[in-house]
Amino acid sequence: MSDAAPGYRAHLMSTYPEPPVTFVRGSGAHLFDDDGKEYLDFLSGLAVTSLGHAHPTVAAAICEQATTLLHTSNLYGTRPGPEVAATLDRLIDAGPGKVFFTNSGAEANECAIKLARKWAGPVVGGQGRYVVISAFGSFHGRTLATLHATGQPAKHEPFQPLPEGFRHVAWNDAAALEAAIDPSVAAVLIEPLQGEGGVNPAGPGYFAAVRRLCDERDLLMIVDEVQAGLGRTGRWFGFQHYDVQPDIVTMAKALGNGMPIGACWARDEVAASFVPGDHGTTYGGQPLAASAAKAVLAVMEAEDAPARAEKAGAHLASALRQLPGVASVRGLGLLLAAELDPGLDARAVAAAALGEGLVVNPVTATSLRLAPSLLVSADEIDEAIRRLGRALAATPGSDA
Ligand SMILES: *Cc1c(COP(=O)(O)O)cnc(C)c1O
């Protein structure tokens, strides 16, 4: 019997559909529900638990910090946030830079947008540089500003008027970007691979063209690595596939392996635009979250997480391609989407997969997103493929 009584969520706002299952425990690539049923987690809480559930090193760091010091505010120095910032600066490897810690991806992007506006200078009498250009199909968060940056106009409508200063252009189209640049533009904000938009990597040459345009027109290039960053795509950061150096990099999801922490990195000259009083946060970078991030980065470096993601991603992609019902596979490393055969509904397949003990996400109406732990084993991938194969065969509309 489930201990989740009907109606136990009665006092939660309905911002998500009624969940099909309640998870109570996790270990590595596995989750367990309140009936004790086991699942392979190939979603990782939306690319968050990149080291798997209950990683012992991360758990030990959190426990140790919880009995040492949780919080003092940013009016005082604490550890280990500054150490985490130094490690991120080394891994981003785009010239010396500085970090502002946040609690989420949206807040990391808010920091980037505010920093870009401060860097670009004041707007006087409507004249000045403040517009941020992003791509259609992008996702940058749910706060009012990051919602406007998100290139999905249908999501904007119920919340108008949104903060001014956002403009959208076709994804992977450098000519469209060039045409949208005028003297009001301060920055370009793009993902290396659109995650929520359907797992769509930047095309060849696109990032280089964006960098060139930003250099020519004196704009900041902001890369949103909230989903793609920290090893998932087979590099430390997604932009590192494209041989460019951004001015600002935002991240969050995997940084705490489930502990809420995000970060906005900027190269030194840009970061220097913020002076005391310009930006702040009560919780950002506090010791508990930072201790998790420190442990995450240490494990990722010890395990060479990007290399593991690349190798496991190649295995997963090739196994998916051989599955009846899968038309094609796209993505990088362990951030993949399986486009289903025509007639198959991704939501129905994801529901059937859950029944078979596999957590995957219908990222579009016709495709499934797969983002397992970067430490997933070859055997776990093979078992996930068997479960997905059964789900595909059992879904109506399939001739698999
Ligand atoms: C998830 C996500 C965000 C928002 O992160 P939150 O922590 O939910 O605020 C921003 N950008 C991208 C690319 C994301 O995938």
Side-chain angles (χ1 to χ4, degrees):
M1 258 295 281
S2 167
D3 63 5
Y8 78 110
R9 293 168 45 87
H11 293 275
L12 298 181
M13 289 194 195
S14 301
T15 53
Y16 286 85
E18 205 48 38
V21 52
T22 296
F23 291 121
V24 296
R25 189 165 66 82
S27 176
H30 303 269
L31 279 169
F32 299 87
D33 71 13
D34 52 2
D35 282 325
K37 177 179 166 180
E38 175 268 347
Y39 301 76
L40 276 165
D41 184 2
F42 271 48
L43 180 59
S44 304
L46 296 164
V48 166
T49 52
S50 282
L51 298 178
H53 296 284
H55 192 284
T57 308
V58 181
I62 294 170
C63 291
E64 166 80 19
Q65 192 65 49
T67 56
T68 305
L69 182 68
L70 286 186
H71 182 88
T72 65
S73 90
N74 284 309
L75 299 173
Y76 309 99
T78 57
R79 296 199 161 83
E83 235 178 285
V84 176
T87 304
L88 289 174
D89 189 42
R90 171 166 55 78
L91 296 175
I92 288 170
D93 192 22
K98 296 196 179 4
V99 169
F100 180 90
F101 286 114
T102 68
N103 311 292
S104 67
E107 284 172 273
N109 286 332
E110 286 276 345
C111 175
I113 294 162
K114 284 181 70 177
L115 182 60
R117 286 192 176 192
K118 188 81 197 313
W119 170 86
V123 177
V124 180
Q127 299 298 302
R129 306 201 309 145
Y130 59 94
V131 170
V132 174
I133 301 180
S134 54
F136 284 114
S138 64
F139 184 82
H140 299 296
R142 300 282 197 162
T143 63
L144 289 171
T146 60
L147 175 62
H148 204 179
T150 292
Q152 302 180 39
K155 284 195 159 69
H156 300 160
E157 285 326 305
F159 303 104
Q160 298 287 6
L162 293 171
E164 266 185 71
F166 296 91
R167 193 174 292 172
H168 302 101
V169 295
W171 171 237
N172 270 335
D173 184 341
L177 175 60
E178 183 164 21
I181 299 172
D182 65 23
S184 69
V185 176
V188 177
L189 168 62
I190 48 174
E191 296 160 87
L193 173 166
Q194 291 189 336
E196 298 309 300
V199 187
N200 305 309
Y206 183 58
F207 259 52
V210 172
R211 179 71 266 180
R212 202 162 51 241
L213 282 170
C214 287
D215 288 341
E216 284 168 13
R217 311 292 288 268
D218 193 26
L219 312 179
L220 294 180
M221 181 174 180
I222 308 172
V223 178
D224 180 344
E225 296 271 0
V226 169
Q227 185 158 160
L230 297 160
R232 179 150 294 279
T233 68
R235 301 281 194 281
W236 280 108
F237 291 91
F239 73 81
Q240 291 165 346
H241 288 275
Y242 307 123
D243 201 25
V244 300
Q245 299 201 331
D247 301 297
I248 301 179
V249 178
T250 60
M251 71 198 80
K253 290 189 164 93
L255 185 54
N257 206 52
M259 184 66 82
I261 179 169
C264 174
W265 172 95
R267 62 182 174 80
D268 277 345
E269 296 82 351
V270 176
S273 304
F274 271 167
V275 296
D278 279 339
H279 198 42
T281 167
T282 298
Y283 287 128
Q286 53 98 284
L288 187 66
S291 71
K294 181 185 169 184
V296 164
L297 294 174
V299 175
M300 283 189 170
E301 291 208 83
E303 298 277 358
D304 197 353
R308 291 196 50 167
E310 185 166 44
K311 184 154 180 271
H315 177 167
L316 177 57
S318 89
L320 285 168
R321 286 193 181 96
Q322 288 161 35
L323 261 189
V326 172
S328 61
V329 178
R330 59 180 180 271
L332 291 168
L334 279 175
L335 188 46
L336 297 174
E339 187 67 34
L340 304 177
D341 280 349
L344 275 172
D345 170 25
R347 267 204 290 176
V349 176
L354 199 66
E356 294 290 341
L358 175 66
V359 179
V360 289
N361 161 254
V363 70
T364 70
T366 57
S367 62
L368 298 175
R369 170 171 42 184
L370 296 100
S373 159
L374 309 187
L375 308 184
V376 69
S377 72
D379 286 348
E380 286 163 340
I381 289 174
D382 294 341
E383 176 57 21
I385 290 292
R386 282 191 287 274
R387 294 180 189 186
L388 182 56
R390 288 198 293 271
L392 283 162
T395 304
S398 155
D399 26 77

